[in-house]
Amino acid sequence: MIDFKHSVIYQIWPRSFKDSNNDGIGDIQGIISKLDYLKELGIDCIWLSPIYASPNDDYGYDISDYYAIAPEYGTMNDFDQLLFELKKRGMSILMDLVANHTSTKHAWFIDAYNNPDSEYRDFYFFKEGKNGNPPNNWLSFFGGSSWTKENEHSYYLTSFAPTQADLNWKNPQVRQEIYNVMEFYLKKGVDGFRMDVINCIDKKDGLPDKNPEKKGYQFPDDYLLNGPLVHTYLKEMNEKVLSKYDALGLAEGCLVTLDDAMKYTNPDSKGIQMTFHFDISMLGYGSLGKYDFRKFYRFTTSEFKEVTRKWQNAMQEKNGYVGNFLSNHDNKRHLERFGNIELYYLESAKALALYNFTLYGTPFIYQGEEIGMTNLKLDYSEWKDYEAINSVQAMHDMLHVPLSIAKKIGAYVTRDNARTPVQWSNENYAGFSSVTPWIKLNPNYIHINAHDSMIDPQSIYHFYKKLIVLRKSHEALCTGKFIELNKDHKSILCFKRINDEEELLILINLTKQAADITLDEKLDGIELLHNGLDKELRRVMKLAPYEAHIYQLTKKEEKVKVSLHSSKYRV
Ligand code: ISL
Ligand code: CA
């Protein structure tokens, strides 16, 4: 198995990564051409968002053939070559496993849809409606009903887009088919899977209405998410597939609860090794996600600290494990959300990177993050993201939000923000392609691009590189215990990472205001990395906006040694 606790994983969303054949769409040969760039950055492993055959209603998350590569990305030979080139560089790869649903263009669904006696009928959830309405009141993740009409009376369950039909995991044949897909890629040499919305695979028996006393569509919550059988299925998947290949399982869990995440990943569960959690990416969103604007996208630094603390402590107390990320293809880029692009672009980008690389858990980088790429507001006519388009309509239809306002909200949160082409240079089309890309390019590529970042020693890129080197040379950053100091400080996050050999102290001002701090403990140490000026570690310190430091603490002899192996904190 890949050494995931010591790895840095880079997410590639292939459509916008690098175009090799000048059709305006990123592809596998484009990825191959950038492997040296990733290696140079210090990346051990890539997570490749879906490259399988797909009608692209949800850009690859609607798979029509698990065994075929989408022609716009290349061929199976290209994919084999990618594996070869990765291995040559000592790098590994996690594939995206989208197994909660297939595209309605998948052969299983087509057969089920066309043939009432099809054995594939039970692969999906086909159900009679109720009095001219869908079978239940579940709200889809992308807005509106979770059900799509098959004919006048009958519907099928589509928890995301109407062309993504949910698979029935209670059917053992479905599970076997998915395991076969996994084996196909594991035999080729992939190292594991990032499992898309895998905590949705156990739907409540009978698919009952959620909160039937309430009017309108209801978010199905525990009727759809984190059902008890998810654990059973993950264990079975481990027994039948993952363990045979010593492959890594990484769950993407929509609104995964802390307890479930810890259970999924606790080694005793014999399921998977890592999950993502959504609590940082959900900050400022209402409980239903990015189109739930009840919080007006505002959150406090205390909330940010609280979420961090909660997950960091849980991992230690419950022996689970998460991957930490700030950006991905499902959220707008994080600098605008957690940092400050206008006034403290470099400082905040580096402070947030420092945060992500000093926590317990594997750090993930989303393509372009390492060069400080920013969001781009697209005109409504330029939107590509189905979630955005449908959610805007749903806000209007269901909540009576005027379309003009709904579109403003959509433009603010749409996933398109994070899906613009990677900016490789200041040449035509940012060196991504030599023709107009499939989605609008951010015009700021003239000054934000990989080529220039690699030349400038003060760039965000070089800071990421340093962080990666630092993480690899300090075991405490990978597996050390997390101990927070100054919990109640309103702006500064302060914590130690400790193992038998060393103690590190991390200080990050998460705000755009300068802040003073009197450390809970008197500590001595030397600076390892900072994002501004070198500063001596003192009990009382003043940090500029987004100022961040890592110190190596000088150990005092009388200090009681914290042994991770003998204590209850087995990490
Ligand atoms: O982004 C979210 C929270 O604001 C989620 O609702 C998101 O849709 C969820 O994490 C599921 O994401 C994954 O599955 C989707 C796909 O569209 C996303 O791209 C994928 O990451 C359906 O396959
Ligand atoms: Ca291409």
Side-chain angles (χ1 to χ4, degrees), residues 58 61 98 101 141-142 160 164 194 196-197 252 254 278 282 285 289-290 329-331 387 415 419:
D58 193 22
Y61 286 91
V98 189
H101 43 262
F141 280 99
F142 291 166
F160 292 87
Q164 289 167 305
R194 173 269 187 191
D196 192 62
V197 290
E252 191 241 6
C254 236
F278 279 28
M282 290 278 291
Y285 302 166
K290 57 180 96 68
H329 65 298
D330 284 335
N331 291 282
E387 180 189 45
R415 305 186 290 185
R419 295 178 174 185

XYZ file of all heavy atoms in Angstrom, residues 58 61 98 101 141-142 160 164 194 196-197 252 254 278 282 285 289-290 329-331 387 415 419, ligand 1:
244
model
N -22.159 15.522 -15.977
C -21.529 15.950 -14.730
C -20.008 15.743 -14.847
O -19.349 15.334 -13.913
C -22.110 15.158 -13.542
C -21.728 15.763 -12.194
O -21.394 16.966 -12.154
O -21.733 15.031 -11.187
N -18.460 12.349 -13.816
C -19.066 11.686 -12.655
C -20.366 10.967 -13.055
O -21.110 10.485 -12.207
C -19.255 12.671 -11.492
C -17.907 12.966 -10.839
C -17.120 14.020 -11.267
C -17.403 12.126 -9.854
C -15.858 14.253 -10.711
C -16.154 12.343 -9.297
C -15.383 13.411 -9.723
O -14.143 13.610 -9.183
N -16.612 6.027 -9.208
C -17.947 6.612 -9.077
C -18.942 5.462 -9.101
O -19.323 4.964 -10.160
C -18.232 7.608 -10.218
C -19.529 8.367 -9.953
C -17.075 8.575 -10.381
N -23.650 5.752 -8.518
C -24.580 5.881 -9.643
C -23.836 5.664 -10.954
O -22.612 5.754 -10.991
C -25.215 7.282 -9.655
C -24.225 8.394 -9.376
N -24.078 8.967 -8.139
C -23.312 9.005 -10.154
C -23.139 9.895 -8.171
N -22.634 9.935 -9.389
N -29.360 16.450 -4.496
C -28.214 17.310 -4.177
C -28.126 18.503 -5.114
O -27.591 19.544 -4.761
C -26.905 16.523 -4.306
C -26.617 15.669 -3.117
C -26.899 14.316 -3.129
C -26.062 16.222 -1.980
C -26.635 13.519 -2.034
C -25.794 15.434 -0.872
C -26.079 14.084 -0.897
N -28.592 18.298 -6.335
C -28.466 19.374 -7.324
C -29.774 20.174 -7.468
O -29.948 20.917 -8.420
C -28.044 18.789 -8.677
C -26.627 18.243 -8.693
C -26.205 17.424 -9.735
C -25.716 18.575 -7.705
C -24.896 16.931 -9.767
C -24.403 18.093 -7.729
C -24.000 17.259 -8.766
N -28.365 12.872 -7.708
C -27.596 14.029 -8.212
C -28.290 14.541 -9.470
O -29.421 14.984 -9.369
C -26.117 13.627 -8.393
C -25.458 13.369 -7.046
C -25.514 12.121 -6.445
C -24.835 14.404 -6.358
C -24.957 11.895 -5.192
C -24.277 14.192 -5.096
C -24.330 12.937 -4.519
N -27.890 10.713 -13.716
C -27.043 9.883 -12.841
C -27.971 9.010 -12.000
O -28.500 9.456 -10.976
C -26.179 10.758 -11.920
C -25.058 11.499 -12.664
C -24.417 12.594 -11.824
O -25.126 13.470 -11.328
N -23.110 12.557 -11.682
N -10.317 6.860 -4.949
C -11.066 7.876 -4.231
C -12.512 7.556 -4.587
O -12.891 7.533 -5.756
C -10.643 9.265 -4.728
C -11.448 10.452 -4.211
C -12.611 10.767 -5.136
N -13.310 11.992 -4.769
C -14.469 12.362 -5.276
N -15.081 11.617 -6.171
N -15.049 13.480 -4.909
N -16.259 8.131 -4.827
C -17.223 9.223 -4.913
C -18.488 8.938 -4.086
O -19.088 7.863 -4.223
C -17.609 9.387 -6.393
C -18.366 10.657 -6.667
O -17.806 11.738 -6.445
O -19.536 10.568 -7.109
N -18.876 9.908 -3.285
C -20.086 9.818 -2.428
C -20.387 8.396 -1.937
O -21.525 7.940 -1.963
C -21.344 10.454 -3.068
C -21.211 11.955 -3.116
C -21.652 9.932 -4.455
N -14.897 9.619 -0.353
C -15.428 10.968 -0.377
C -16.809 10.847 0.207
O -17.651 10.100 -0.302
C -15.509 11.525 -1.790
C -15.800 13.003 -1.782
C -17.089 13.400 -2.466
O -17.866 12.533 -2.889
O -17.328 14.600 -2.575
N -20.129 12.667 1.298
C -20.999 13.814 1.321
C -21.491 14.012 2.748
O -22.154 13.131 3.289
C -22.202 13.447 0.491
S -22.518 14.536 -0.794
N -16.173 17.302 4.997
C -16.612 18.502 4.288
C -16.675 19.737 5.166
O -17.074 20.799 4.710
C -18.007 18.262 3.719
C -18.009 17.500 2.432
C -17.004 16.608 2.139
C -19.017 17.688 1.514
C -16.994 15.910 0.953
C -19.027 16.998 0.324
C -18.019 16.104 0.041
N -17.478 23.389 3.909
C -18.871 23.823 4.112
C -18.976 25.130 4.912
O -20.085 25.637 5.098
C -19.643 22.748 4.877
C -19.916 21.478 4.090
S -21.337 21.598 3.004
C -22.659 21.662 4.189
N -21.523 27.908 4.266
C -22.696 27.364 3.578
C -23.716 26.972 4.649
O -23.353 26.647 5.777
C -22.374 26.083 2.814
C -21.302 26.141 1.742
C -20.767 24.955 1.231
C -20.837 27.351 1.220
C -19.790 24.963 0.245
C -19.860 27.358 0.238
C -19.337 26.167 -0.253
O -18.384 26.168 -1.216
N -25.519 22.756 1.868
C -24.441 22.872 0.889
C -24.345 24.243 0.271
O -24.927 25.214 0.769
N -23.628 24.310 -0.825
C -23.230 25.629 -1.325
C -24.391 26.491 -1.828
O -24.285 27.704 -1.873
C -22.121 25.498 -2.370
C -22.452 24.637 -3.570
C -21.287 24.571 -4.528
C -20.416 23.349 -4.328
N -21.053 22.073 -4.669
N -12.548 20.256 -6.998
C -13.314 20.611 -8.197
C -14.782 20.900 -7.873
O -15.545 21.218 -8.777
C -13.219 19.454 -9.201
C -13.883 18.217 -8.684
N -13.467 17.558 -7.540
C -14.969 17.532 -9.129
C -14.258 16.527 -7.318
N -15.173 16.483 -8.254
N -15.188 20.756 -6.608
C -16.591 20.948 -6.238
C -16.864 22.264 -5.520
O -18.000 22.537 -5.143
C -17.055 19.810 -5.309
C -17.306 18.532 -6.077
O -17.582 18.605 -7.282
O -17.222 17.460 -5.459
N -15.818 23.013 -5.281
C -15.984 24.273 -4.558
C -15.164 25.352 -5.256
O -14.168 25.036 -5.904
C -15.472 24.127 -3.118
C -16.376 23.204 -2.321
O -17.449 23.600 -1.888
N -15.957 21.958 -2.168
N -24.811 21.506 -11.687
C -25.274 21.798 -10.328
C -25.675 23.264 -10.219
O -26.713 23.607 -9.645
C -24.182 21.485 -9.297
C -24.606 21.768 -7.871
C -23.472 21.666 -6.847
O -22.375 22.189 -7.101
O -23.691 21.062 -5.793
N -19.157 25.623 -9.316
C -17.930 24.832 -9.398
C -17.065 25.257 -10.586
O -15.876 24.961 -10.625
C -18.298 23.342 -9.493
C -19.198 22.897 -8.350
C -19.439 21.413 -8.344
N -20.284 20.959 -9.456
C -20.692 19.706 -9.584
N -20.343 18.788 -8.712
N -21.462 19.344 -10.601
N -12.763 25.368 -12.126
C -12.566 24.436 -13.242
C -11.981 25.118 -14.470
O -11.965 24.534 -15.556
C -13.889 23.758 -13.577
C -14.368 22.880 -12.426
C -15.703 22.221 -12.691
N -16.032 21.275 -11.616
C -17.090 20.486 -11.615
N -17.941 20.522 -12.621
N -17.304 19.666 -10.607
O -20.007 19.909 -3.156
C -20.812 19.471 -2.368
C -21.122 20.178 -1.115
O -21.240 21.511 -1.314
C -21.494 18.200 -2.542
O -22.844 18.281 -2.539
C -21.001 17.433 -3.753
O -21.918 17.436 -4.775
C -20.720 16.080 -3.246
O -19.527 16.184 -2.566
C -20.582 15.022 -4.253
O -19.481 15.221 -5.061
C -19.088 14.194 -5.864
O -20.167 13.531 -6.479
C -20.939 14.282 -7.406
C -20.082 15.015 -8.422
O -20.855 15.953 -9.112
C -18.922 15.723 -7.759
O -18.101 16.332 -8.720
C -18.180 14.708 -6.951
O -17.011 15.201 -6.383
C -21.842 13.298 -8.087
O -21.080 12.258 -8.627
